[in-house]
Amino acid sequence: MDSRKAKGIAADFATTGAEAVVETAADNLPLLASAIHDAGFQGAASILADGVVGAVAPGALGLVFGCRMRRTERNLIILIDKLSSNIEIVNERLDSLEATVRDKYTNGSYRDAFLDSVVDENEPEKVSRNVNAFINCMAHGSAGDSFVLTLFDDLSRLNRLDIRALKLHYYNPITGHMADDSFDRLIREEGIDCSEYRIIREKLCRLGLLESKNEEKREKNLEAVQNAVSELLSQLGKRNPKIPKPPKLQRISTSDSYSITSLGRRYLELIRPVQETVSA
């Protein structure tokens, strides 16, 4: 199948899907109105409920779903272009996989998780990166279900700016690859301030892609205190109790610093262009 024909199929699918969704939704509008009536809304709540139904009138609904389907069509075309430009690599990697694993990529859970991360994506640049990750995962047959499914779930949560911030902390000692960006440049070009940047890094920490030096110190301090308390309790009731020395606590800095985790490094390796060397 050539690229032009594939694009045509994607366009036909998107258009047909939009028309079907709008028609189905329009048929159900009377049911929505009836449900709101039966719920017995009164006063301002009734006005709000009526407004909800009015907002999804067939014309507006067609516009909303038409926009979504055009986005889906665009993303599918990017996906097809990326696959076709790497067709030899895709075939080679799929052929090297065990049949059960290969089926997950072609017709199973891996494919579904990948498509979920692509279909409704607002940023075209992320679609290309997700396709890279999908193809690059094929080179690691040992990657388990949990990792692959979590990967695409996390990628769907990360926007372009999140990934750019993560790259600032990235260095690969094997390839020597370093971020060709800087904090000052990111702040200037993205039009954000330090507090917004801090929120981004906290988000990356929650996803396990960055780790906070202060949080690491807090965990070590908590462990030291727990050990000291345990030692103190063990001395209670003894004839000649030995009072344990106070634990040495690490100083928590007023300004936090972050470092990339092995998971964050692996994610960045996987979203790199397919033609580049990808470390496990």
Side-chain angles (χ1 to χ4, degrees):
M1 179 186 300
D2 59 30
S3 179
R4 183 177 302 176
K5 183 176 180 180
K7 291 179 181 179
I9 292 175
D12 291 342
F13 168 78
T15 303
T16 302
E19 292 173 350
V21 170
V22 171
E23 182 179 354
T24 300
D27 289 342
N28 285 311
L29 283 175
L31 295 178
L32 290 174
S34 176
I36 290 178
H37 178 269
D38 293 342
F41 284 107
Q42 297 178 354
S46 177
I47 298 175
L48 172 61
D50 290 340
V52 169
V53 175
V56 292
L61 194 64
L63 180 62
V64 170
F65 280 100
C67 177
R68 290 189 63 183
M69 294 308 295
R70 285 193 296 274
R71 180 178 60 199
T72 297
E73 177 186 355
R74 177 203 65 194
N75 292 349
L76 289 176
I77 290 174
I78 294 173
L79 184 157
I80 291 168
D81 280 343
K82 291 286 290 184
L83 288 179
S84 62
S85 63
N86 294 284
I87 190 65
E88 293 183 2
I89 296 176
V90 171
N91 285 332
E92 180 183 349
R93 292 182 179 179
L94 286 176
D95 289 341
S96 68
L97 296 172
E98 295 181 0
T100 54
V101 178
R102 181 169 61 249
D103 186 63
K104 293 179 182 180
Y105 282 102
T106 59
N107 195 36
S109 58
Y110 295 177
R111 179 206 61 183
D112 293 345
F114 163 60
L115 289 178
D116 284 344
S117 74
V118 166
V119 169
D120 289 327
E121 179 54 55
N122 288 314
E123 299 176 330
E125 180 182 355
K126 277 186 58 185
V127 175
S128 295
R129 288 175 173 171
N130 288 10
V131 177
N132 289 341
F134 186 62
I135 299 175
N136 285 330
C137 274
M138 298 174 188
H140 305 287
S142 59
D145 291 356
S146 178
F147 174 80
V148 176
L149 298 181
T150 301
L151 166 67
F152 290 109
D153 183 56
D154 286 346
L155 289 180
S156 67
R157 299 168 187 266
L158 295 170
N159 58 41
R160 180 189 56 81
L161 183 53
D162 294 333
I163 295 174
R164 183 175 180 181
L166 181 61
K167 283 185 174 181
L168 287 182
H169 301 80
Y170 175 68
Y171 169 71
N172 187 318
I174 298 176
T175 64
H177 181 76
M178 299 182 66
D180 55 352
D181 204 352
S182 69
F183 169 76
D184 291 336
R185 179 180 170 187
L186 184 150
I187 293 294
R188 182 179 67 255
E189 293 180 352
E190 301 293 346
I192 64 174
D193 56 28
C194 292
S195 62
E196 292 173 300
Y197 182 69
R198 183 177 65 253
I199 292 173
I200 293 172
R201 294 202 295 186
E202 290 173 352
K203 173 184 177 180
L204 295 173
C205 278
R206 290 194 298 272
L207 292 174
L209 307 181
L210 288 182
E211 57 185 3
S212 161
K213 293 295 185 182
N214 277 349
E215 188 62 30
E216 183 180 351
K217 290 177 181 178
R218 290 190 186 97
E219 291 180 358
K220 290 183 177 179
N221 287 347
L222 178 59
E223 182 180 359
V225 171
Q226 289 175 334
N227 291 337
V229 171
S230 297
E231 178 63 23
L232 179 62
L233 292 176
S234 69
Q235 296 297 320
L236 296 179
K238 291 185 177 181
R239 180 172 299 178
N240 298 310
K242 295 181 180 180
I243 305 301
K245 295 181 179 179
K248 293 183 179 180
L249 303 180
Q250 299 188 39
R251 182 175 177 274
I252 304 299
S253 174
T254 55
S255 60
D256 205 351
S257 60
Y258 297 81
S259 61
I260 192 169
T261 64
S262 59
L263 180 63
R265 184 175 293 106
R266 191 174 185 187
Y267 278 13
L268 290 183
E269 290 289 345
L270 287 171
I271 66 175
R272 288 172 62 185
V274 176
Q275 290 80 9
E276 296 184 13
T277 301
V278 180
S279 63

